[in-house]
Amino acid sequence: EPEVTQTPSHQVTQMGQEVILRCVPISNHLYFYWYRQILGQKVEFLVSFYNNEISEKSEIFDDQFSVERPDGSNFTLKIRSTKLEDSAMYFCASRLVPNYGYTFGSGTRLTVV
Amino acid sequence: EDQVTQSPEALRLQEGESSSLNCSYTVSGLRGLFWYRQDPGKGPEFLFTLYSAGEEKEKERLKATLTKKESFLHITAPKPEDSATYLCAVPPVSGGYNKLIFGAGTRLAVHP
């Protein structure tokens, strides 16, 4: 069964450092997303991406965040200057059509120290 | 404000003891309700989408139903491997299908 692949599975970074979280969505999917889940809290939306541009972003997704689809397979989330409160599980997701369920990746656990 | 509320927060069952999980929402003009299963340290796994009141979907021991204000996930004769957090989510009224609003989930533990 097709999978969404995320790397790394766990990243530890110092506050103020830049991190790039990587995702390979399912190959024929057209809609891409990043969500995050702080430990013990809800899954929360960060950004959606379609046709090489951001469709919608949340209040969390400020100027420190950016997304990119540099080629036909990868989808990245960059955090320019990490803060302690950025520590969370970050999930990439994709789907073929907009009103169907997402396929999520297994996530990247980001720990900012 | 669009909201999704799940109950109970946690549920402990004996193997074979059937029960139901609840998801209520305040979004008007519902355009789909999504159920996911999440294992610890993993991403949510898609289970079902329901679009209209009265709709039902089944997968193994799980059956999801939808009314105009809430959805139920019925678990029949659960097994320990059904232990997980079950999440429901809806698209908000505004913004098309660009995002989903998730509930906090119900943590289900099934004991042998």
Side-chain angles (χ1 to χ4, degrees):
Chain A
E1 189 170 331
E3 289 185 343
V4 174
T5 305
Q6 289 188 244
T7 56
S9 57
H10 190 189
Q11 179 150 4
V12 181
T13 188
Q14 291 205 329
M15 192 167 53
Q17 295 297 303
E18 175 182 288
V19 295
I20 298 176
L21 310 183
R22 302 181 190 280
C23 169
V24 179
I26 293 173
S27 61
N28 64 336
H29 282 190
L30 302 175
Y31 298 83
F32 311 111
Y33 308 86
W34 286 99
Y35 281 76
R36 79 175 185 187
Q37 187 174 32
I38 295 171
L39 188 63
Q41 297 188 22
K42 296 181 181 182
V43 175
E44 54 185 353
F45 169 78
L46 290 178
V47 66
S48 59
F49 192 86
Y50 170 71
N51 201 24
N52 284 319
E53 62 182 24
I54 291 173
S55 308
E56 186 167 349
K57 58 185 180 180
S58 72
E59 292 177 355
I60 303 166
F61 195 90
D62 61 19
D63 292 344
Q64 295 301 312
F65 291 84
S66 62
V67 290
E68 194 176 37
R69 187 155 162 82
D71 53 42
S73 59
N74 292 284
F75 182 49
T76 61
L77 174 69
K78 182 192 291 187
I79 309 175
R80 288 189 184 79
S81 178
T82 50
K83 304 174 190 145
L84 295 175
E85 54 264 38
D86 294 328
S87 295
M89 279 286 280
Y90 287 79
F91 296 110
C92 173
S94 69
R95 56 182 171 182
L96 178 60
V97 293
N99 61 341
Y100 198 67
Y102 301 156
T103 301
F104 281 88
S106 288
T108 293
R109 180 172 298 284
L110 177 66
T111 303
V112 183
V113 297
Chain B
E1 183 184 344
D2 302 326
Q3 282 201 343
V4 178
T5 304
Q6 292 189 246
S7 61
E9 289 185 13
L11 181 62
R12 179 189 170 113
L13 299 174
Q14 290 298 121
E15 185 171 2
E17 180 187 0
S18 301
S19 188
S20 296
L21 314 182
N22 177 264
C23 171
S24 63
Y25 54 89
T26 59
V27 174
S28 59
L30 185 71
R31 294 170 296 121
L33 185 141
F34 299 79
W35 280 101
Y36 288 85
R37 168 191 170 128
Q38 186 176 29
D39 292 301
K42 300 291 185 184
E45 175 190 349
F46 173 66
L47 294 173
F48 307 109
T49 310
L50 302 166
Y51 291 104
S52 56
E55 188 175 358
E56 298 183 352
K57 288 194 176 169
E58 289 189 61
K59 181 178 181 178
E60 295 181 358
R61 295 175 291 282
L62 301 177
K63 183 168 81 172
T65 62
L66 182 66
T67 71
K68 287 186 177 178
K69 293 187 177 180
E70 57 192 348
S71 177
F72 293 93
L73 186 64
H74 308 278
I75 302 176
T76 302
K79 298 182 177 181
E81 52 262 42
D82 295 321
S83 298
T85 297
Y86 290 86
L87 305 172
C88 71
V90 299
V93 172
S94 62
Y97 289 98
N98 288 330
K99 67 181 182 184
L100 291 177
I101 300 171
F102 280 83
T106 293
R107 290 191 315 279
L108 174 66
V110 182
H111 296 269

